[in-house]
Amino acid sequence: MNDYFTTKQLAVGYDGIPLIRDIEIRLQKGHILTLIGPNGSGKSTILKTAANYLKAVAGTVYLDGRSLRCFSGHELSRRLSVMLTQRLKTELMTCREVVETGRYPYTGQLGILSEEDRRQVLEAMDAVNVRDFADRFFTAISDGQKQRVLLARALCQQPEIMVLDEPTSYLDIRYELELLSMLRDMARHRHIAVMMSLHALDLAERVSDEVLCVSGETITHYGKTDEIFTKELIEELYGVTNGSYQPLFGSLEMQRPQGVPKVFVIAGGGTGIPAYRGLQKMQIPYATGILHENDVDYQVASALASDVIAEKSFQCITESTYACAVERLKRCDTMLNCLTGYGETNRANQRLAAAAEQLGLRVVKNYDEIVEAIG
Amino acid sequence: METYERHRTLRFTLVLVAMSLVLLALMALNITLGSVKIPLSEIVRILTGGSTNETAAQILWKIRMPRALAGALLGAALALSGFLLQTFFGNPIAGPYVLGIASGAKLTVSIVLVCVLSAGRAVSAAGLIGAAFVGSMISMSFVLLIAQKVHRSAMLVISGVMIGYICSAITDFIITFADDASIVNLHNWSKGSFSGMSWDNVAVIAVVVSIASLTVFLLSKPIGAYRLGEAYAQNMGVNIRVFRIALVFLSSILSACVTAFAGPISFVGIAVPHIVKSLLKTAKPILVIPVCFIGGAIFCLGCDLIARTVFAPTELSVSSVTAIFGAPVVILLLIKRRKNV
């Protein structure tokens, strides 16, 4: 399959001064490319250059094999549509009228819509579910609805590529998810190349086919989504020092509490996560176990716990691991047991809980009790 | 067609028909009323050539008809000029008068008039428009310079008013040192008045205003796109540079035409587009532009009627009357803006 949008040795910036150099993008129709990177890293500058708002400082942007510079405004408007972050002034405009502006490249001198234009407008509004409030004023609807109306506008322009700058920036999580799944859908079914910037890493990972990391003078990384979303890469990109990135969840965890752990948390199967995060918030250091390496708790624990006693995936807990856990337990004064039941593979945890009582540790069932006792 | 659109079209048609009727009625009133009252029946007879009343015919043909026609056309020009400036600056309180563009035109026209008249020659209509256009463009470039630095719309208007004051002050100097003979005319004109219109003037006004207005109407598509902001307009394929130049040029030529023949007339450019949008309940340019044209004509004819008749035989300057009706609209807009922001 051919690449639809490509750049060669592109340098972007303002007033002829390059901000980012050597950008080499290859994006095909139906794919989503997401630009990630810290604030002020130049994501918008790249998008503006791609949408022909800014002149390339050096190098070339190609659309369908033709240099962007060779397109007239009219030609480009039938291939590329945008959705921008800026707030709109839409005096007395209904949502339908906002969407209708997307048909501009297809109407005649006076901009009167044909039957085909009307059909396209309705279809675009249906695709993003905005038909219900089509005739309300644009100023009277919520931010989530506004973004969807703007998406409908961009869609009925019948583009081959869409450029979106932070399309989810004013949205709460529900609308964010909704908008991105619509984009995903559009890219695949309408065969549109999508290029956008996002700040929510977890969503960027879920929605994108390819990711471009922007930081400093050059593109630090560019590749398929799963190649990019590794722990080291993301932490380096954002310069994360007081926390860590969890590639499996696509989420960021806070910094591990400092100090010698006096609390031991027995957990597994996701029961430990509230306690792990709760103890972190109070800056109480803790050890935890015995967790299997394929357990969700393990992912969070390895970011937050001072010490994790772990067993290999899919195996029953071995005696040596158990012994190791007991050793760790002896140096603690409090035991928090999050488990309420045990199965074949983690039977050792039941023994561990009994051992804690025998050793005379304070046994609690809820992390609040520890927080109260210490805090 | 969707119900909403049918509603909008119906509303547009109703407003258009109603306003056309009002315009016709005002035309009739304007040529009937005055220090000499000419009844409608007499007017019909004069127009059909069956009248024996020479004085009435003279007043009608030489004074009232050209004045009414010029008033209507210039009013339309002001309304459109205001509408264009509001589009350009994205600001509902922009207009040729508040931005000082009319005062710039006033300044250059009075310089030309004083120089040429004192040399004992007459100025052609085209010369007047040319002078006014140059003045408009000078003021406009100052406003554009300020607009680059100042992004708050209220500040832009204040700067415009200041430019207006400076131009008016210089104009007053010039008039003070002008010949006695030219002062009388200049004085009336510099306050804003439709009096003393000749058919020659009307012909020039008609040509300039109709060509410019038609061009504005043909631009309603990019104007509509521009409402979403420059970035979106560009994405829709509008050539922003050419479009912005066209807006500046057209608004200046329309406002220059008014100032050249009738002097500076205040607030029509702001009040009319706002009232029209409220009546139509939409700001779609293809609908607003024709109604603004008629609305501006109505506003100026109505104000001129008041200016001529209320304290007859003393005549008020038409600008005073337009200010009385127009300025409150500006205040209203300022309050409304504060609420929205």
Side-chain angles (χ1 to χ4, degrees):
Chain A
M1 178 133 179
N2 287 332
D3 294 318
Y4 182 71
F5 175 93
T6 51
T7 62
K8 283 219 171 70
Q9 298 189 320
L10 177 69
V12 300
Y14 294 92
D15 304 320
I17 300 158
L19 197 69
I20 306 166
R21 293 170 215 270
D22 299 326
I23 306 167
E24 304 270 346
I25 298 174
R26 311 171 74 80
L27 175 64
Q28 49 182 248
K29 284 191 190 172
H31 277 208
I32 295 183
L33 168 68
T34 304
L35 275 57
I36 59 169
N39 288 337
S41 59
K43 297 182 296 252
S44 296
T45 317
I46 296 178
L47 292 178
K48 277 182 195 156
T49 313
N52 211 21
Y53 287 126
L54 276 178
K55 268 198 192 126
V57 176
T60 322
V61 178
Y62 295 96
L63 205 61
D64 217 357
R66 246 172 90 195
S67 167
L68 204 57
R69 260 173 284 180
C70 304
F71 283 89
S72 73
H74 180 71
E75 281 178 305
L76 191 62
S77 66
R78 287 180 174 224
R79 290 174 175 81
L80 185 146
S81 70
V82 296
M83 185 169 153
L84 307 160
T85 23
Q86 64 182 43
R87 296 253 177 194
L88 287 180
K89 276 189 202 167
T90 49
E91 186 195 17
L92 293 173
M93 274 177 106
T94 62
C95 297
R96 184 195 305 276
E97 283 179 298
V98 172
V99 178
E100 281 172 357
T101 60
R103 295 306 295 169
Y104 186 104
Y106 302 92
T107 54
Q109 173 66 42
L110 286 178
I112 294 163
L113 299 177
S114 67
E115 276 311 307
E116 166 65 10
D117 292 323
R118 284 175 204 287
R119 208 181 56 72
Q120 291 285 348
V121 167
L122 286 182
E123 207 236 350
M125 287 198 294
D126 282 335
V128 297
N129 266 323
V130 296
R131 187 90 169 259
D132 292 343
F133 44 88
D135 293 325
R136 288 176 60 190
F137 283 125
F138 187 74
T139 43
I141 58 174
S142 75
D143 283 341
Q145 293 170 328
K146 278 182 188 164
Q147 294 298 85
R148 269 150 61 200
V149 169
L150 288 176
L151 191 60
R153 191 208 77 82
L155 188 63
C156 82
Q157 207 171 326
Q158 290 180 299
E160 290 167 342
I161 180 168
M162 257 191 219
V163 175
L164 307 96
D165 192 4
E166 301 272 2
T168 61
S169 48
Y170 301 116
L171 305 184
D172 61 32
I173 192 130
R174 183 187 136 208
Y175 287 126
E176 206 168 12
L177 219 58
E178 189 181 72
L179 192 88
L180 290 178
S181 46
M182 281 171 182
L183 266 180
R184 188 68 262 182
D185 208 53
M186 268 170 210
R188 176 165 319 156
H189 293 115
R190 292 168 198 251
H191 229 63
I192 299 171
V194 175
M195 193 173 163
M196 65 176 164
S197 57
L198 280 182
H199 55 253
L201 283 181
D202 49 341
L203 293 174
E205 185 184 2
R206 282 157 182 71
V207 76
S208 331
D209 296 297
E210 285 134 58
V211 174
L212 185 78
C213 305
V214 187
S215 169
E217 286 221 326
T218 50
I219 300 301
T220 51
H221 299 279
Y222 173 45
K224 287 204 174 12
T225 307
D226 47 359
E227 293 164 10
I228 298 297
F229 279 88
T230 60
K231 186 172 160 60
E232 295 72 25
L233 225 151
I234 296 295
E235 288 183 9
E236 177 203 315
L237 174 66
Y238 283 86
V240 180
T241 49
N242 50 358
S244 63
Y245 176 74
Q246 291 299 307
L248 281 182
F249 297 160
S251 63
L252 282 164
E253 291 295 349
M254 305 292 276
Q255 195 170 18
R256 205 189 304 273
Q258 302 296 309
V260 182
K262 288 287 173 197
V263 177
F264 193 96
V265 183
I266 298 178
T271 56
I273 293 177
Y276 296 154
R277 295 208 172 124
L279 291 171
Q280 191 280 334
K281 279 177 209 151
M282 296 309 294
Q283 288 293 305
I284 300 166
Y286 55 90
T288 185
I290 302 167
L291 299 174
H292 284 95
E293 283 170 2
N294 60 347
D295 195 314
V296 278
D297 279 351
Y298 179 78
Q299 296 300 327
V300 179
S302 53
L304 296 180
S306 308
D307 199 357
V308 184
I309 316 294
E311 184 54 81
K312 290 198 181 66
S313 305
F314 312 116
Q315 283 190 9
C316 284
I317 294 166
T318 59
E319 274 312 309
S320 62
T321 311
Y322 175 71
C324 183
V326 174
E327 274 313 302
R328 196 74 196 77
L329 198 62
K330 281 180 184 161
R331 280 178 275 147
C332 294
D333 54 20
T334 307
M335 190 273 287
L336 166 61
N337 190 357
C338 300
L339 293 173
T340 46
Y342 306 91
E344 274 316 307
T345 53
N346 73 340
R347 190 68 67 193
N349 276 331
Q350 197 170 13
R351 275 161 64 206
L352 194 64
E357 283 183 44
Q358 276 172 10
L359 285 167
L361 267 70
R362 193 158 59 94
V363 175
V364 291
K365 272 280 169 198
N366 195 318
Y367 71 90
D368 284 342
E369 294 172 46
I370 302 172
V371 171
E372 271 167 35
I374 297 172
Chain B
M1 207 187 280
E2 301 281 318
T3 15
Y4 171 79
E5 257 175 86
R6 221 173 301 146
H7 249 87
R8 195 177 62 191
T9 316
L10 185 69
R11 183 176 265 277
F12 169 74
T13 319
L14 280 177
V15 170
L16 196 70
V17 170
M19 287 178 79
S20 306
L21 291 177
V22 172
L23 181 62
L24 282 179
L26 271 173
M27 273 290 199
L29 275 176
N30 265 285
I31 51 177
T32 313
L33 298 178
S35 46
V36 177
K37 196 171 183 303
I38 311 173
L40 265 179
S41 53
E42 183 66 31
I43 288 173
V44 174
R45 249 172 297 165
I46 294 170
L47 290 178
T48 51
S51 169
T52 47
N53 190 339
E54 263 308 304
T55 333
Q58 283 286 330
I59 292 174
L60 188 70
W61 280 114
K62 290 257 167 75
I63 301 172
R64 290 197 190 156
M65 290 272 274
R67 177 169 185 159
L69 282 173
L73 284 167
L74 294 180
L78 279 173
L80 287 185
S81 173
F83 176 73
L84 293 178
L85 288 169
Q86 286 144 31
T87 306
F88 186 88
F89 289 107
N91 180 349
I93 40 179
Y97 189 80
V98 291
L99 291 181
I101 295 163
S103 309
K106 181 171 92 168
L107 173 60
T108 46
V109 170
S110 47
I111 292 173
V112 169
L113 276 179
V114 168
C115 293
V116 176
L117 288 181
S118 60
R121 278 184 290 177
V123 188
S124 71
L128 280 181
I129 294 187
F133 183 69
V134 169
S136 301
M137 291 306 274
I138 292 172
S139 281
M140 188 74 184
S141 17
F142 275 111
V143 174
L144 287 175
L145 268 179
I146 295 169
Q148 273 182 351
K149 304 220 182 273
V150 183
H151 292 287
R152 292 212 356 240
S153 52
M155 290 303 289
L156 182 73
V157 172
I158 291 170
S159 322
V161 171
M162 291 305 135
I163 292 175
Y165 269 115
I166 296 169
C167 294
S168 292
I170 303 174
T171 312
D172 285 345
F173 275 130
I174 293 167
I175 292 176
T176 313
F177 294 111
D179 280 347
D180 288 340
S182 44
I183 283 180
V184 186
N185 279 329
L186 264 179
H187 191 74
N188 270 340
W189 167 83
S190 71
K191 293 261 181 280
S193 164
F194 291 129
S195 68
M197 288 291 171
S198 70
W199 278 106
D200 287 344
N201 291 350
V202 173
V204 175
I205 292 169
V207 170
V208 174
V209 173
S210 49
I211 292 176
S213 305
L214 194 69
T215 317
V216 173
F217 182 72
L218 291 176
L219 281 178
S220 51
K221 184 180 165 183
I223 292 174
Y226 201 74
R227 281 199 294 164
L228 283 186
E230 209 174 293
Y232 278 110
Q234 192 184 335
N235 179 235
M236 291 171 223
V238 179
N239 186 330
I240 296 294
R241 242 174 66 86
V242 173
F243 177 70
R244 285 175 68 99
I245 291 171
L247 281 191
V248 170
F249 182 81
L250 284 169
S251 61
S252 297
I253 195 89
L254 283 168
S255 144
C257 187
V258 177
T259 313
F261 293 105
I265 294 172
S266 57
F267 298 112
V268 182
I270 301 173
V272 173
H274 177 67
I275 295 167
V276 165
K277 285 175 202 164
S278 316
L279 281 176
L280 291 177
K281 289 223 166 66
T282 177
K284 220 174 159 51
I286 199 167
L287 306 178
V288 169
I289 290 168
V291 180
C292 261
F293 189 90
I294 299 177
I298 291 176
F299 197 92
C300 280
L301 278 184
C303 289
D304 194 37
L305 189 65
I306 292 169
R308 285 195 305 129
T309 53
V310 171
F311 296 110
T314 313
E315 200 175 291
L316 295 171
S317 87
V318 68
S319 196
S320 319
V321 184
T322 56
I324 287 173
F325 292 107
V329 177
V330 178
I331 296 172
L332 220 100
L333 277 169
L334 280 170
I335 295 170
K336 232 176 83 178
R337 254 178 104 69
R338 180 51 49 90
K339 265 191 209 151
N340 287 344
V341 172

